[in-house]
Amino acid sequence: MIVDISKWKHVFKLDPDREISDEALDRLCQSGTDAIMVGGSTGVTFDNTVDLLARVRQYEVPVVLEISNQEAIVPGFDLFLIPVVLNANDPQWIVGQHHEALKEYGAILNWDEIVTEGYIILNSEATAARLTSSRTDLDAKDVTAYARMADKLFHMPIVYLEYSGVFGDMELVRRTRSVLEHARLIYGGGIDTLDKAQQAAEVADTIVVGNIIYNDLEQALQTVNIDRTGR
Ligand code: 1GP
């Protein structure tokens, strides 16, 4: 399937390490979301990723893998998203793991299926922030500099503002979006109502809804109803 990320407005992110019933998965996949993103910070294995892929594949919705560790690279997704954590203090999460993976798979990759995400992690409490030793005390100038770095210096197609677990600063999201020329701005973190989804959708190109899926499925499903007439 050809997947056009430039059309994505709303994405559900599913964690292979968390349980989800068939009924819940059915409702998410048929909700009208633009894609299902599979990924998580910890406990993601080949087996739990294959399982989730097989279950989501029963539906028409595009399914993409956000790769967080080399052991969990599973073929068969529509796209593979590769996070590069721009504000990580640990270089493992900027180029280290990528280097290891390319030593193994570099010659056999289908580059048309691979999309780099310039991640900026902004919630110091998030597992991803701890894992990557991210420097999260950033002001708007810091964040927009990282965004330009991703967009202009490295030509990354995606800048991902990651607040995982908390709802972020929408003014900062808006400012970050405004400096991007080519890259798409993905926002994720703390979207647990339609109202927050709408606020985020007004300032970002794509919003990602994660945790609330597991805490309150009905609220999660509501977030699909954002106004799609904007950018
Ligand atoms: C996580 O950005 C996503 O990677 C979504 O965040 O889980 O807080 O919705 P939440």
Side-chain angles (χ1 to χ4, degrees), residues 96-147:
Q97 301 220 13
H98 316 66
H99 184 233
E100 286 307 315
L102 290 178
K103 274 162 71 179
E104 188 81 18
Y105 304 109
I108 55 163
L109 287 177
N110 178 356
W111 291 98
D112 294 337
E113 297 176 345
I114 290 172
V115 178
T116 313
E117 302 174 300
Y119 251 71
I120 308 168
I121 302 181
L122 293 168
N123 172 16
S124 61
E125 302 296 314
T127 311
R130 295 214 190 98
L131 199 65
T132 58
S133 307
S134 283
R135 200 194 124 209
T136 55
D137 58 334
L138 304 177
D139 63 22
K141 266 191 131 172
D142 292 316
V143 174
T144 50
Y146 278 128

Side-chain angles (χ1 to χ4, degrees), residues 13 18 37 39-41 66 119 128 160-167 186-192 208-213:
K13 190 185 273 194
R18 296 179 83 170
M37 190 184 288
S41 300
E66 187 172 63
Y119 251 71
Y160 194 131
L161 282 189
E162 173 66 294
Y163 277 93
S164 182
V166 294
F167 192 63
I186 298 188
Y187 169 83
I191 296 175
D192 54 9
V208 177
V209 176
N211 252 310
I212 192 66
I213 294 167

Side-chain angles (χ1 to χ4, degrees), residues 169-190:
D169 175 350
M170 291 300 113
E171 176 52 24
L172 180 58
V173 179
R174 190 195 61 72
R175 275 182 75 169
T176 307
R177 172 67 186 76
S178 74
V179 304
L180 298 180
E181 193 177 344
H182 300 293
R184 207 168 163 78
L185 186 74
I186 298 188
Y187 169 83

Side-chain angles (χ1 to χ4, degrees), residues 15-190:
D15 185 341
D17 194 33
R18 296 179 83 170
E19 299 268 324
I20 187 135
S21 70
D22 287 342
E23 194 209 329
L25 197 66
D26 182 78
R27 295 184 66 195
L28 290 162
C29 291
Q30 307 218 59
S31 63
T33 188
D34 297 304
I36 302 290
M37 190 184 288
V38 171
S41 300
T42 55
V44 180
T45 65
F46 187 88
D47 289 350
N48 60 24
T49 304
V50 167
D51 275 0
L52 191 53
L53 172 64
R55 292 173 69 201
V56 177
R57 263 285 174 248
Q58 298 173 47
Y59 301 91
E60 278 180 24
V61 67
V63 54
V64 303
L65 179 64
E66 187 172 63
I67 297 175
S68 51
N69 75 73
Q70 201 177 319
E71 286 71 48
I73 301 179
V74 171
F77 283 84
D78 293 311
L79 275 184
F80 297 87
L81 307 181
I82 315 291
V84 170
V85 183
L86 298 168
N87 61 326
N89 272 335
D90 180 351
Q92 271 301 323
W93 301 93
I94 310 171
V95 289
Q97 301 220 13
H98 316 66
H99 184 233
E100 286 307 315
L102 290 178
K103 274 162 71 179
E104 188 81 18
Y105 304 109
I108 55 163
L109 287 177
N110 178 356
W111 291 98
D112 294 337
E113 297 176 345
I114 290 172
V115 178
T116 313
E117 302 174 300
Y119 251 71
I120 308 168
I121 302 181
L122 293 168
N123 172 16
S124 61
E125 302 296 314
T127 311
R130 295 214 190 98
L131 199 65
T132 58
S133 307
S134 283
R135 200 194 124 209
T136 55
D137 58 334
L138 304 177
D139 63 22
K141 266 191 131 172
D142 292 316
V143 174
T144 50
Y146 278 128
R148 285 197 168 101
M149 187 184 291
D151 184 30
K152 308 295 277 182
L153 208 51
F154 295 141
H155 302 286
M156 293 171 170
I158 291 174
V159 170
Y160 194 131
L161 282 189
E162 173 66 294
Y163 277 93
S164 182
V166 294
F167 192 63
D169 175 350
M170 291 300 113
E171 176 52 24
L172 180 58
V173 179
R174 190 195 61 72
R175 275 182 75 169
T176 307
R177 172 67 186 76
S178 74
V179 304
L180 298 180
E181 193 177 344
H182 300 293
R184 207 168 163 78
L185 186 74
I186 298 188
Y187 169 83

